[in-house]
């Protein structure tokens, strides 16, 4: 059975029995035809079935009875790209352990500093084995190093060939996935048999078809401490304002979830929901009203919120192609202080920007479990000869998603969805805050 845009490509027919068979684990084998519905609503599935269509769905992740590679003769490589995120080391460790213990694959390389480590003149990769990765999951960051940007796909594929790499595991965000897709296209163009299986990583949680990115919960935990501090500062001063800025370029998941977890935010500002400063419904008036009501106010803002307050032409992009952002935290701090100064009202605003603190922590225990499952399923996919895919997480299930399906898509908070509704309930803020500037 195929389901069109979510069909997973393979290097060839897997003809070797999986070593899991001998380990008496056959009951865990997953058939390629097992699917997780894209749209879980019964109505949608019935509509498709009535019109003779097969409802769209993702291939269920897991071990396959037949594998493509001969593990003792297979060389695998792991590369970590983009910004840091809690749990990268946990994923590296589990990929190595899974390859080594479950599949008897003993030839594992770690590529240094992102896709740049696959450039022509790059530093050589390092050998990885269970001893080398034994306790790395307890540390933040990545033992391999990371970077943004990438050499051309053709140069990377030259390097994969030069290093005799059969399987590549890129760990990274949307830029890394675009890179992985281009690498896979180049591999196919050359008729090579190299699998590319990606593990999505971003604390912004903005990768489509991945409901929860690893490290996200840890980042929220750390960010929650920052909001607690903002609250403590705000309530410790007469007419106190705690202003906290959190990461989240295009998606406000960290900010929204942290507001819910902390339970102390009165105003939550995210990129997906525009807001204005002035007027009877604007941010300034809301802040003033809250102070009048409860003597203090806590505002939590995502770094990508309110970018329309800045001229965009001069800042350029980072090496991953992301537009550089205006500093909404400092902007709000100055403007809120100016508003109250003009009214001759004395307020005490404390600004907290935990910045990289929230993503450099080691993974907490729920993220550790999640990292291990992502890594294990990535290895199952690669050994079965599947390629050009990432590990998805959909309706509580691990899935295989073709990397090309991400093209042109972003995951973001739906302002009419449940998460944002919960935020409005928890903060008590109105659905619309003023009028955002139009140009
Ligand atoms: O993509 C994740 C992220 O942490 C964003 O939240 C943040 O804007 C960005 O990376 C920071 O990137 P850099 O590491 O390049 O400063």
């Amino acid at each position: 059975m195929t389901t069109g845009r979510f069909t997973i490509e393979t290097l060839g027919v897997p003809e070797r029995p999986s070593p899991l068979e001998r380990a008496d684990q056959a009951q865990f084998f997953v058939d390629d035809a097992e699917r997780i519905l894209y749209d879980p609503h019964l109505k949608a599935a019935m509509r498709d079935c009535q019109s003779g269509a097969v409802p769209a769905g993702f291939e269920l992740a897991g071990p396959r009875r037949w594998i493509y590679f001969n593990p003792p003769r297979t060389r695998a490589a792991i590369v970590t790209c983009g910004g840091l995120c809690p749990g990268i080391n946990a994923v590296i460790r589990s990929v190595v352990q899974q390859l080594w213990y479950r599949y008897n694959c003993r030839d594992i390389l770690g590529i240094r500093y992102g896709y740049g480590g696959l450039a022509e003149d790059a530093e050589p990769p390092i050998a990885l084995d269970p001893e080398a990765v034994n306790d790395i999951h307890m540390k933040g960051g990545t033992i391999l190093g990371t970077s943004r940007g990438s050499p051309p796909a053709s140069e990377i594929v030259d390097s994969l060939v030069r290093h005799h790499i059969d399987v590549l595991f890129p760990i990274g965000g949307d830029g890394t996935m675009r890179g992985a897709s281009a690498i896979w296209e180049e591999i196919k163009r050359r008729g090579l048999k190299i699998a590319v299986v990606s593990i999505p990583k971003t604390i912004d949680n903005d990768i489509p078809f991945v409901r929860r990115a690893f490290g996200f919960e840890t980042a929220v935990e750390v960010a929650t401490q920052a909001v607690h501090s903002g609250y403590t500062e705000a309530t410790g001063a007469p007419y106190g304002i705690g202003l906290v800025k959190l990461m989240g370029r295009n998606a406000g998941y960290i900010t929204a979830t942290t507001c819910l977890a902390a339970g102390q935010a009165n105003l939550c500002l995210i990129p997906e929901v525009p807001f204005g400063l002035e007027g009877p419904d604007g941010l300034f008036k809301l802040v003033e009203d809250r102070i009048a009501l409860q003597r203090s106010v806590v505002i939590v803002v995502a770094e990508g919120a309110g970018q329309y307050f800045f001229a965009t032409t001069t800042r350029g992009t980072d090496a991953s192609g992301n537009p550089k952002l205006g500093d909404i935290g400092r902007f709000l701090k100055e403007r809120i202080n100016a508003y109250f100064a003009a009214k001759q009202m004395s307020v005490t605003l404390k600004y907290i920007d935990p910045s990289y603190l929230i993503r450099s922590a080691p993974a907490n225990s729920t993220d550790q479990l999640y990292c291990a499952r992502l890594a294990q399923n990535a290895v199952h996919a690669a050994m079965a000869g599947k390629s050009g895919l990432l590990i998805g997480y959909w309706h509580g299930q691990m899935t295989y998603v073709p990397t090309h399906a991400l093209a042109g898509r972003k995951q973001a908070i739906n302002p009419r969805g449940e998460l944002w509704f919960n935020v409005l309930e928890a903060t008590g803020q109105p659905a619309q805050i003023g009028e955002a500037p139009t140009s």
Side-chain angles (χ1 to χ4, degrees), residues 388-412:
L389 71 121
L390 69 141
I391 313 303
Y393 187 63
W394 204 244
H395 307 305
Q397 301 279 346
M398 296 260 159
T399 59
Y400 295 145
V401 181
T403 324
H404 65 71
L406 301 188
R409 284 176 169 262
K410 277 269 180 200
Q411 177 162 277

Side-chain angles (χ1 to χ4, degrees), residues 83-84 148 202-204 247-249 254 303 318 325 356 359:
L84 293 181
R148 291 198 182 277
T202 160
I203 54 158
D204 291 358
M247 281 187 171
R249 228 181 335 235
I254 298 172
E303 63 177 340
D318 69 12
L325 299 174
Y356 296 100
R359 65 176 213 189

Side-chain angles (χ1 to χ4, degrees), residues 79-346:
V79 61
T80 57
C81 311
L84 293 181
C85 172
I88 304 178
N89 281 331
V91 172
I92 295 172
R93 176 177 183 261
S94 292
V95 169
V96 171
Q97 291 180 330
Q98 181 81 344
L99 285 164
W100 192 281
Y101 294 128
R102 304 297 276 157
Y103 284 94
N104 200 26
C105 171
R106 297 288 150 91
D107 194 355
I108 311 167
L109 298 178
I111 308 296
R112 305 306 315 275
Y113 300 108
Y115 281 141
L118 290 165
E120 204 179 329
D121 54 353
E123 208 177 303
I126 55 172
L128 296 174
D129 61 23
E131 194 190 341
V133 299
N134 201 20
D135 61 2
I136 63 170
H137 60 303
M138 293 153 75
K139 300 176 189 147
T142 158
I143 58 158
L144 301 178
T146 184
S147 67
R148 291 198 182 277
S150 171
S154 59
E155 193 174 330
I156 290 183
V157 176
D158 287 346
S159 181
L160 296 177
V161 172
R162 200 169 50 248
H163 289 299
H164 306 286
I165 291 167
D166 302 298
V167 175
L168 180 67
F169 294 103
I171 304 173
D174 52 354
T176 309
M177 299 297 139
R178 276 195 299 279
S181 209
I183 295 167
W184 170 232
E185 290 307 318
E186 179 64 14
I187 288 169
K188 282 192 291 183
R189 200 184 63 75
R190 297 191 196 182
L192 299 170
K193 298 295 181 187
I194 303 174
V196 183
V197 176
S198 305
I199 301 168
K201 165 216 64 91
T202 160
I203 54 158
D204 291 358
N205 204 33
D206 58 355
I207 300 186
F209 313 125
V210 183
R211 275 280 179 253
R212 172 186 153 204
F214 76 79
F216 177 74
E217 290 197 0
T218 309
V220 167
E221 218 167 271
V222 181
T224 300
Q225 297 306 317
V227 176
H228 287 330
S229 303
Y231 174 80
T232 306
E233 291 289 345
T235 51
Y239 307 118
I241 302 173
L243 172 62
V244 182
K245 182 179 81 169
L246 297 174
M247 281 187 171
R249 228 181 335 235
N250 302 304
Y253 288 103
I254 298 172
T255 300
T257 312
T258 300
C259 284
L260 293 174
Q264 291 158 329
N266 306 118
L267 292 159
C268 174
L269 307 170
I270 59 171
E272 296 90 333
V273 181
F275 65 94
L277 302 175
E278 317 279 351
D281 314 316
L283 184 74
F284 296 148
K285 185 68 172 57
L286 283 178
V287 172
E288 190 180 339
D289 289 349
R290 274 303 175 110
I291 291 180
L293 181 73
Q294 59 184 45
R295 286 167 163 255
S296 65
V297 63
V298 176
I299 309 164
V300 186
V301 60
E303 63 177 340
Q307 289 303 304
Y308 31 77
F309 292 117
F310 307 97
T312 52
T313 42
T314 48
R315 286 190 309 272
T317 57
D318 69 12
S320 302
N322 304 304
K324 290 188 182 157
L325 299 174
D327 190 338
I328 187 69
R330 291 197 175 282
F331 171 83
L332 288 179
K333 177 184 167 188
E334 280 160 25
R335 296 295 305 271
I336 292 170
N337 275 331
Y339 173 83
F340 286 106
K343 294 195 133 200
Q344 296 187 325
M345 286 175 67
S346 166

Side-chain angles (χ1 to χ4, degrees), residues 9-15 32 66-68 184 193 384-387:
E9 294 175 89
T10 58
L11 296 174
V13 181
E15 289 176 329
D32 283 348
W66 299 97
I67 62 172
Y68 178 82
W184 170 232
K193 298 295 181 187
K386 297 176 188 296
S387 189

